[in-house]
């Protein structure tokens, strides 16, 4: 589903190199964790896979499409249709209720407004937030905002879910519930990529990609020695 | 140092009760963790202790002062002088470099500008970010921003440090380094209160205060059965 070849990403001058020499594939239906120290390039990599950013060098193919040959509006359509993103900083719409924030995850699904809200309410319930459906982000705790971001990313059941530290603000129990949601989606065919510092989360992923100082340093699958 | 009696905090109408029936003391020089599920009231409690918020009912005394009898400017002066805060959402100054963000932690210390910057550079080095001193927050990773927020809170060596999930975005190694910094400060007399979901952090604290649904449910000290 996703293929990276010779990918690098640098910023500024003199350049800060965030990623270099990245080559790997993600098959449709896989579930994997990206792990590594703070500042090692994980979010940069996820943003590139999610077409929210373009590489400085190299090629990224998604479902056979060469993203480097696609315009910004074509990439935007691809994302809306196929990719669900949980951001490290959540990026919820301020002043919009939790349920309406989640409903935006269905905006391009062809689903009518009333049904979007009903499905958003179900998704919110799955992350334990029915009692907070009408709170706006500024009226929610950190972990509640994170769970709204997760519900929004999964409600449209996109083909590819990219989650940046989705349990970072959660206690063990809430975090385990989130991993269950992702595992359920993966069982029904969704490709799931999770950045995590949480060992409990990482060890439930069948594959783990390690990053250090912007380079891939490991690619382990369950069953490898 | 800190004393809470009959403290509660509610929002809105009909009211959402974030905290109720809170009674406890923190002695000068203590180090404790506040633990509990997402949405249980931990950040609300920390903000009340840090005088960033006022309770709906009850009294909060800091160093013998009744905060309820103090004006906003008096509270502001108390905070500037005595309290270092690591926010769950960091709240760094956008467009200001990492080292200058840290230096703002010394603004009320009477230290001249050149010395503030020198001390800020040392604090930044302690959290492993010397190579990112001139990056602005939008040019930093999530965990790097968190570490800048930590350095800013500790650089002025305030009497009381309140840290809201200070390792939430950090890998094990960076997180352990942060706990060491807090433990060192505590060893030299600083009172440290840490909200954490991280068991590794919580178990290094001599005292653990549990919260669930806005109420205190446990107060354990190392050595208790
Ligand atoms: N401005 C507000 N209006 C209404 N409810 C609020 C407001 N701020 C917080 N709350 C509610 O108060 C409760 C406690 O919030 P708090 O931020 O203290 O939780 P927390 O324990 O820090 O959670 P987390 O671990 O997720 O950060 C939450 O259920 C939240 O929805
Ligand atoms: N706009 C930018 N300009 C310059 N450097 C940047 C910029 N954005 C990120 N970086 C740098 O690129 C490196 C990788 O950042 P990235 O956000 O991918 O790290 P990460 O692995 O997600 O870290 P964390 O675990 O802390 O979230 C970091 O060292 C960061 O300072
Ligand atoms: Mg990151
Ligand atoms: Mg909180």
């Amino acid at each position: 589903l996703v293929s990276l070849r010779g990918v690098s990403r640098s910023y500024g001058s003199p350049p800060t190199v965030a990623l270099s020499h990245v080559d790997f594939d993600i098959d449709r239906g896989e579930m994997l964790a990206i792990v590594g120290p703070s500042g090692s390039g994980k979010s940069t990599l996820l943003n590139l896979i999610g077409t929210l950013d373009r590489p400085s060098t190299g090629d990224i193919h998604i479902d056979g499409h060469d993203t480097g040959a696609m315009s910004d509006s074509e990439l935007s359509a691809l994302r809306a249709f196929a990719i669900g993103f949980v951001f490290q900083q959540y990026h919820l719409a301020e002043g919009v209720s939790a349920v309406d924030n989640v409903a935006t995850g269905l905006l391009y699904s062809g689903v009518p407004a009333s049904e979007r809200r009903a499905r958003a309410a179900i998704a919110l319930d799955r992350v334990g937030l029915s009692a907070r459906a009408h709170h706006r982000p500024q009226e929610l705790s950190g972990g509640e905002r994170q769970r709204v971001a997760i519900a929004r990313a999964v409600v449209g059941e996109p083909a590819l879910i990219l989650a940046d530290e989705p349990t970072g603000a959660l206690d063990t129990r809430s975090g385990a519930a989130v991993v269950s949601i992702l595992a359920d989606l993966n069982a029904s065919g969704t490709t799931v990529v999770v950045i995590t510092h949480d060992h409990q989360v990482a060890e439930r992923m069948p594959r783990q990609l390690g990053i250090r100082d912007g380079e891939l340093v490991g690619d382990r699958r369950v069953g490898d020695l």
Side-chain angles (χ1 to χ4, degrees), chain A:
Chain A
L1 183 65
V2 180
S3 171
L4 283 77
R5 292 288 181 273
V7 168
S8 77
R9 181 64 165 108
S10 296
Y11 300 98
S13 180
T16 300
V17 179
L19 276 183
S20 57
H21 310 121
V22 174
D23 297 277
F24 73 96
D25 296 322
I26 301 173
D27 295 335
R28 189 178 282 279
E30 274 206 84
M31 183 157 68
L32 68 124
I34 296 173
V35 296
S38 171
S40 57
K42 303 179 299 296
S43 296
T44 301
L45 178 58
L46 206 72
N47 289 343
L48 289 170
I49 293 168
T51 75
L52 290 170
D53 188 22
R54 291 182 185 270
S56 303
T57 67
D59 303 309
I60 299 174
H61 286 78
I62 298 195
D63 204 18
H65 301 111
D66 177 3
T67 60
M70 293 166 69
S71 69
D72 285 355
S73 53
E74 286 173 313
L75 289 176
S76 186
L78 170 68
R79 283 193 301 273
F81 185 67
I83 304 176
F85 221 116
V86 185
F87 297 97
Q88 193 165 3
Q89 312 283 341
Y90 321 150
H91 297 318
L92 299 179
E94 293 293 320
V96 173
S97 72
V99 65
D100 287 344
N101 255 290
V102 176
T104 65
L106 286 163
L107 273 178
Y108 301 99
S109 59
V111 170
S114 56
E115 188 183 335
R116 290 202 297 271
R117 225 157 181 255
R119 286 175 57 176
I122 292 168
L124 215 50
D125 188 60
R126 281 200 77 187
V127 294
L129 287 179
S130 295
R132 294 288 180 265
H134 303 292
H135 285 230
R136 291 159 291 160
Q138 58 268 32
E139 297 165 333
L140 293 172
S141 76
E144 289 169 342
R145 286 175 206 162
Q146 186 162 48
R147 285 183 276 159
V148 173
I150 290 157
R152 179 180 62 181
V154 306
V155 69
E157 297 179 341
L160 176 63
I161 287 177
L162 305 176
D164 199 339
E165 313 259 7
T167 66
L170 301 179
D171 55 284
T172 310
R173 194 167 168 187
S174 311
V178 167
V179 173
S180 294
I181 290 168
L182 295 175
D184 288 350
L185 285 164
N186 183 242
S188 62
T190 305
T191 307
V192 177
V193 183
V194 180
I195 292 173
T196 187
H197 286 306
D198 189 334
H199 294 280
Q200 266 189 318
V201 174
E203 63 200 24
R204 282 196 60 181
M205 302 290 138
R207 178 184 177 194
Q208 297 177 28
L209 211 54
I211 298 196
R212 177 177 292 279
D213 297 326
E215 309 223 15
L216 294 186
V217 295
D219 191 349
R220 283 189 320 146
R221 288 155 204 270
V222 165
D224 286 356
L225 283 169

